Amino acid sequence: MPLATDYSSDDLGLDLRWWAAANYLTVGQIYLRENPLLRRSLQHDDIKPRLLGHWGTSPGLSALYVQLNRLIRRTGTPCLYVTGPGHGGPALVANTYLEGTYSEVYPAVSQDAGGLLRLFRQFSSPGGIPSHVSVQTPGSIHEGGELGYALVHAAGAAFDSPDLLVACVVGDGEAETGPLSGSWKIPAFLDARRDGAVLPVLHLNGYKISGPTVWGRSSDEEITGYLTSQGWAPVFVSGDDPHQVFRELEAALRHAHDRIREIQAAARSGGEDLRPGWPAIVLRTPKGWTGPHEVDGVQVEDTFRAHQVPLSGVQTDDAHLALLEQWMRSYSPETLFTDDGALVPELAALAPEGDLRMGATPHANGGRRRTPLDLPPLENYAVEVPSPGTTFHQTTHPLGELLRDVYARTTTEDGGGTFRLFCPDETASNRLQSVFEVTDRCLQAEVLPTDDHLSPHGRVMEVLSEHLCQGWLEGYLLSGRHGMFATYEAFAMVSASMVIQHVKWLQHAASLPWRAPVSSLTILLTSTCWRNDHNGFSHQGPGLLDTVIPLSPQVVRVWLPPDANSLLSVADHCLRSTDHVNLLIADKQPHLQYLTLEEANAHAAAGASVWSWAGTEPENGRDEPDVVLAAAGDVPTMETLAAAELLRQWVPYLRVRVVNVIDLMALLPQDDHPHGLSEERFLQLFSRDTDVVVAFHGYPRAVHQLLHGRTNPGRFHVRGFEEQGTTTTPFDMVVLNRMSRYHLVLEALRRSRRVPERGEELARFCRDQLARHAAYVREHLEDMPEVRDWTWAGSPVA
């Protein structure tokens, strides 16, 4: 890489001094609780009792921060800094403190000796901040504690942000993970006309926590071959001499920025280069750079031993304490900070101004950029329901029409926008294909005549990776936009851990007044466990529901709309909401429709409702029901109604109440969740003493978990998915899992407070029907006509 001619020795000297200040603050955060400016010799009492944090990756992160600051000041380019090595938390805290952002966000951590001491004491301490580049760190959209998502979050932030440069550090340990390996495909989806740019910096310091990395032991030629095949044009910077590395890194960043702007300018003036070779930087520096080279006769710098705390015995070992003081004084803190503890003016001047500081960029505090989503009236998409349970409709199709018009209303003149749908190659399969009336799938590749709605400028993001789809959306939301992730229910578990991490992020963000609310992460699960007719057991699993239920009640919402209008109502609510993770479960196949849009809106607002038209309780009756049938989910709703109709026909004098639950978290006590029903309302729905037979979309234990703390929870008897599945008919799936209408009737008869006349006759009928089904489905390869063609009739036989 040719050296830049206008990077003077004076500039280099200033940058190295900033770097020294950042390294000094990083070490101080790990070790010190007193004496922050070393105005006297270190004593054992100056050391924290618990030494936590990670030094190894921090110097490299700070070196890049320094050079990005210079690039921003030279070009005025807004830059977002995403750090995959989340263990480098003290480095990012140090740099945002030096640039002034940290003290603006946290005034108590002031830019003086007192603030410096508070900065040190709070790190990895009770009541302080965690060791990662976390939600508390200004400028961050990425926790980095669970490795693998840096590059995918960076891409999400770059989509539809045409002027933004996202510098993304990928650690060589993180680069071994599956999600990160998949993330290198960004050039196939980044549109130079309307998107910003992602600049990956593959930081190779050679080691993980206790051993070498694959990438660190790979040759430059091997790395070049891999990155080039993915659409990148890598430039290498390596060395252990800070003077040489800083000059080469400055030149590499200058080259990368200029090349990115060339690519974008060509595309935005009508050019079409779908494989331009986006710049990338491979940075090789020692792990624990500038730290102790050797401790107790064992090499530490440039080995895995520098990963965390290089000097672990400083509380009691005089030699270790002396090494720590020597290490910290090597940065010459007396030349970096004034007598008052402030950064000296010539170094403070190196920071960009205002929102161009990477700690202050609105792209990392997306709520500052967010505008409410322009949603059309739901009445435009409402399904006509002449009477409950008599007509079929594909439940997700009207939602697809709504999303189509959201795209149309939010797309800008340059082809960008503020809304995107992310889906693993399943948009049409999930019946959301109406979006293709206004946009295409995005792929930066040749379009063949046989392709369907494919374009380099499409804004539906399909890639066969749940990690990428969800990660792109997370980056998109955290930087201020809106979207939805739709996927097959069973395979949402691929990215379940990402959901957990995002919930944790939002949970902590809510406690930070400076973090503005961002659009909620809405996940549509379809192709559900009950209706994978042509797929098998591998496609049948509702586990994500169980994953999210125990998480923060301030964040998590779970919705089970029974039909198309209720799905529209809930989706509208979710897309307007902020700071939540919405799990929205609705099957894509044709289902019976029950509620008008007005009824659906009321049902969603209530969370759970009595469907009086389906029960047999006398109007204005004062007696408790004999049994309650409850349903949560579309297939459970149909089976529950079919069971209610059988009871109505055979034992019409039995008082049966039918309850439908659309907001699953409503089952929780009011003190445990914002959507939890009051105990009074809960008893109004489910009575005080009557047994309740519940047909549930997921694993039965989830409902029992939610009902803990309710009045007499042992009276709830839940039928749901029991890990029984195969490639079979829709009704055979509910039979296999003992949630069929016949099973529900048998359970209702067993649990009823009264033993009805004809009850045993009805029980025999149900058992006979189950036996008949087993024979019929194997003989005819389809469900019995009375099941397959069932609709709600609603009136008892004479």
Side-chain angles (χ1 to χ4, degrees):
M1 171 62 59
L3 300 182
T5 56
D6 61 348
Y7 187 42
S8 68
S9 296
D10 289 343
D11 291 338
L12 173 60
L14 289 169
D15 287 348
L16 288 172
R17 289 179 64 199
W18 176 294
W19 186 51
N23 288 337
Y24 179 84
L25 296 184
T26 299
V27 180
Q29 289 177 81
I30 295 173
Y31 284 97
L32 298 188
R33 65 176 178 179
E34 298 292 347
N35 196 12
L37 290 168
L38 298 185
R39 290 187 174 148
R40 54 174 172 78
S41 296
L42 277 180
Q43 301 174 7
H44 291 297
D45 288 345
D46 294 330
I47 306 302
K48 294 178 177 180
R50 300 167 69 244
L51 299 180
L52 303 170
H54 296 76
W55 163 248
T57 190
S58 294
L61 296 179
S62 292
L64 185 60
Y65 206 101
V66 174
Q67 292 300 337
L68 286 170
N69 276 347
R70 182 164 292 280
L71 176 71
I72 294 167
R73 293 198 328 275
R74 180 173 64 84
T75 65
T77 297
C79 185
L80 175 64
Y81 192 35
V82 176
T83 53
H87 290 317
L92 271 292
V93 170
N95 282 281
T96 55
Y97 177 80
L98 292 174
E99 73 183 16
T101 304
Y102 204 91
S103 298
E104 292 174 10
V105 171
Y106 304 108
V109 188
S110 49
Q111 294 186 298
D112 53 28
L116 201 58
L117 179 60
R118 187 180 292 268
L119 183 80
F120 287 1
R121 289 179 64 92
Q122 71 175 9
F123 180 77
S124 287
S125 299
I129 63 173
S131 64
H132 291 140
V133 185
S134 64
V135 65
Q136 291 94 334
T137 308
S140 174
I141 64 165
H142 177 76
E143 168 79 21
E146 180 175 297
L147 299 177
Y149 312 129
L151 203 51
V152 67
H153 284 158
F159 292 147
D160 293 318
S161 294
D163 299 324
L164 181 65
L165 173 64
V166 187
C168 179
V169 183
V170 177
D172 46 355
E174 179 184 27
E176 296 178 358
T177 66
L180 200 289
S181 296
S183 297
W184 291 111
K185 298 175 179 64
I186 292 171
F189 299 94
L190 200 67
D191 184 354
R193 286 192 186 183
R194 52 128 198 272
D195 296 332
V198 176
L199 175 61
V201 179
L202 179 58
H203 186 204
L204 306 180
N205 55 37
Y207 296 92
K208 304 186 285 284
I209 192 170
S210 61
T213 63
V214 173
W215 285 83
R217 297 289 170 90
S218 300
S219 68
D220 289 358
E221 291 74 20
E222 290 170 328
I223 294 171
T224 297
Y226 182 83
L227 294 182
T228 300
S229 73
Q230 300 297 298
W232 303 99
V235 171
F236 288 77
V237 176
S238 61
D240 58 6
D241 177 1
H243 293 78
Q244 168 247 324
V245 171
F246 268 56
R247 286 190 178 277
E248 291 189 10
L249 185 55
E250 193 276 343
L253 284 171
R254 181 187 296 259
H255 164 79
H257 177 270
D258 292 348
R259 177 60 183 141
I260 286 167
R261 293 306 186 221
E262 287 177 5
I263 293 170
Q264 292 174 335
R268 293 168 191 180
S269 62
E272 191 79 272
D273 184 359
L274 300 179
R275 301 282 289 179
W278 289 93
I281 295 173
V282 181
L283 176 64
R284 291 187 187 267
T285 59
K287 196 173 188 80
W289 198 13
T290 74
H293 183 72
E294 187 177 285
V295 178
D296 297 333
V298 178
Q299 183 177 336
V300 172
E301 185 185 24
D302 202 20
T303 76
F304 64 87
R305 297 178 181 89
H307 182 75
Q308 291 178 306
V309 180
L311 294 164
S312 58
V314 288
Q315 295 102 332
T316 57
D317 189 307
D318 291 341
H320 279 210
L321 185 67
L323 274 176
L324 175 61
E325 181 164 357
Q326 178 185 345
W327 175 15
M328 296 191 72
R329 289 194 185 278
S330 72
Y331 299 120
S332 302
E334 68 279 1
T335 70
L336 308 175
F337 301 96
T338 67
D339 291 342
D340 295 331
L343 188 65
V344 296
E346 66 269 26
L347 296 185
L350 297 179
E353 296 182 355
D355 284 352
L356 284 177
R357 293 172 298 173
M358 288 185 286
T361 175
H363 294 274
N365 192 359
R368 291 177 55 193
R369 302 179 64 223
R370 179 185 182 272
T371 57
L373 187 61
D374 185 11
L375 286 164
L378 291 185
E379 289 75 11
N380 296 351
Y381 316 97
V383 172
E384 184 176 351
V385 181
S387 61
T390 58
T391 57
F392 287 86
H393 202 284
Q394 290 178 339
T395 298
T396 57
H397 188 267
L399 175 61
E401 296 177 321
L402 170 67
L403 298 182
R404 171 199 64 201
D405 293 348
V406 171
Y407 263 111
R409 294 161 76 101
T410 58
T411 300
T412 56
E413 291 184 4
D414 62 359
T418 57
F419 175 86
R420 291 202 189 195
L421 173 65
F422 300 82
C423 188
D425 188 37
E426 300 156 1
T427 303
S429 173
N430 289 331
R431 311 299 192 261
L432 303 174
Q433 67 270 22
S434 294
V435 295
F436 296 131
E437 296 173 25
V438 295
T439 188
D440 298 315
R441 299 174 176 88
C442 176
L443 188 67
Q444 307 302 309
E446 179 186 3
V447 177
L448 302 178
T450 51
D451 289 327
D452 178 44
H453 291 99
L454 185 71
S455 165
H457 312 301
R459 296 182 62 253
V460 173
M461 308 306 293
E462 284 195 346
V463 59
L464 200 52
S465 166
E466 288 79 9
H467 284 124
L468 296 194
C469 288
Q470 183 173 321
W472 284 344
L473 176 56
E474 288 176 354
Y476 199 65
L477 299 174
L478 290 171
S479 55
R481 280 71 63 77
H482 309 264
M484 179 180 286
F485 170 38
T487 184
Y488 287 5
E489 180 182 50
F491 304 127
M493 291 302 293
V494 172
S495 54
S497 187
M498 295 182 76
V499 177
I500 295 172
Q501 297 299 323
H502 194 74
V503 171
K504 292 176 184 291
W505 179 280
L506 294 178
Q507 179 182 348
H508 278 183
S511 67
L512 301 171
W514 60 272
R515 285 270 184 195
V518 296
S519 297
S520 298
L521 173 64
T522 297
I523 303 173
L524 172 65
L525 302 185
T526 186
S527 297
T528 64
C529 59
W530 301 106
R531 289 301 307 271
N532 263 287
D533 301 356
H534 64 284
N535 290 310
F537 196 32
S538 64
H539 286 60
Q540 295 159 349
L544 189 62
L545 195 156
D546 291 73
T547 299
V548 303
I549 283 176
L551 303 179
S552 170
Q554 299 301 321
V555 177
V556 169
R557 307 288 185 266
V558 179
W559 301 93
L560 292 160
D563 64 2
N565 285 332
S566 56
L567 174 59
L568 284 173
S569 179
V570 169
D572 179 84
H573 168 80
C574 293
L575 291 172
R576 295 180 191 274
S577 68
T578 59
D579 291 345
H580 293 158
V581 169
N582 299 305
L583 198 60
L584 217 169
I585 306 172
D587 186 61
K588 67 185 182 182
Q589 304 289 357
H591 284 270
L592 286 169
Q593 303 298 303
Y594 311 106
L595 304 177
T596 66
L597 181 59
E598 182 179 4
E599 291 167 339
N601 287 334
H603 185 42
S609 307
V610 174
W611 285 7
S612 57
W613 52 267
T616 55
E617 288 184 283
E619 291 188 15
N620 301 319
R622 296 181 179 180
D623 294 331
E624 289 285 276
D626 294 317
V627 69
V628 176
L629 300 181
D634 42 27
V635 169
T637 294
M638 180 177 68
E639 291 305 307
T640 296
L641 290 173
E645 188 172 81
L646 285 169
L647 292 169
R648 172 189 289 261
Q649 292 171 344
W650 284 79
V651 286
Y653 41 83
L654 198 69
R655 295 189 296 269
V656 177
R657 179 181 297 173
V658 176
V659 177
N660 191 267
V661 179
I662 184 173
D663 180 353
L664 190 62
M665 309 314 272
L667 297 179
L668 281 166
Q670 195 170 34
D671 292 341
D672 293 343
H673 196 281
H675 285 200
L677 295 172
S678 68
E679 188 66 6
E680 179 184 7
R681 176 61 180 152
F682 184 84
L683 295 178
Q684 287 175 353
L685 290 170
F686 297 105
S687 79
R688 179 174 294 275
D689 301 310
T690 302
D691 279 34
V692 183
V693 177
V694 183
F696 177 56
H697 175 85
Y699 297 110
R701 62 178 177 264
V703 175
H704 290 297
Q705 175 184 349
L706 294 168
L707 293 172
H708 179 75
R710 290 295 191 182
T711 299
N712 191 11
R715 63 195 172 92
F716 285 80
H717 314 283
V718 186
R719 298 298 180 102
F721 189 72
E722 297 180 340
E723 280 298 312
Q724 298 298 318
T726 183
T727 304
T728 190
T729 66
F731 189 66
D732 196 46
M733 273 297 296
V734 294
V735 170
L736 289 173
N737 289 277
R738 301 186 302 165
M739 197 192 73
S740 76
R741 59 200 65 184
Y742 303 122
H743 288 96
L744 297 178
V745 168
L746 289 168
E747 188 72 6
L749 292 172
R750 189 160 74 96
R751 301 296 179 178
S752 171
R753 65 169 66 235
R754 291 192 296 167
V755 179
E757 296 180 18
R758 299 190 71 196
E760 183 53 39
E761 185 181 354
L762 172 56
R764 283 197 303 273
F765 170 78
C766 290
R767 289 191 287 267
D768 289 345
Q769 284 293 91
L770 289 170
R772 179 169 170 258
H773 158 78
Y776 188 96
V777 75
R778 285 157 179 77
E779 171 68 21
H780 299 279
L781 309 181
E782 62 178 346
D783 288 325
M784 300 181 296
E786 62 265 42
V787 169
R788 184 184 66 238
D789 303 327
W790 180 85
T791 59
W792 173 258
S795 51
V797 295

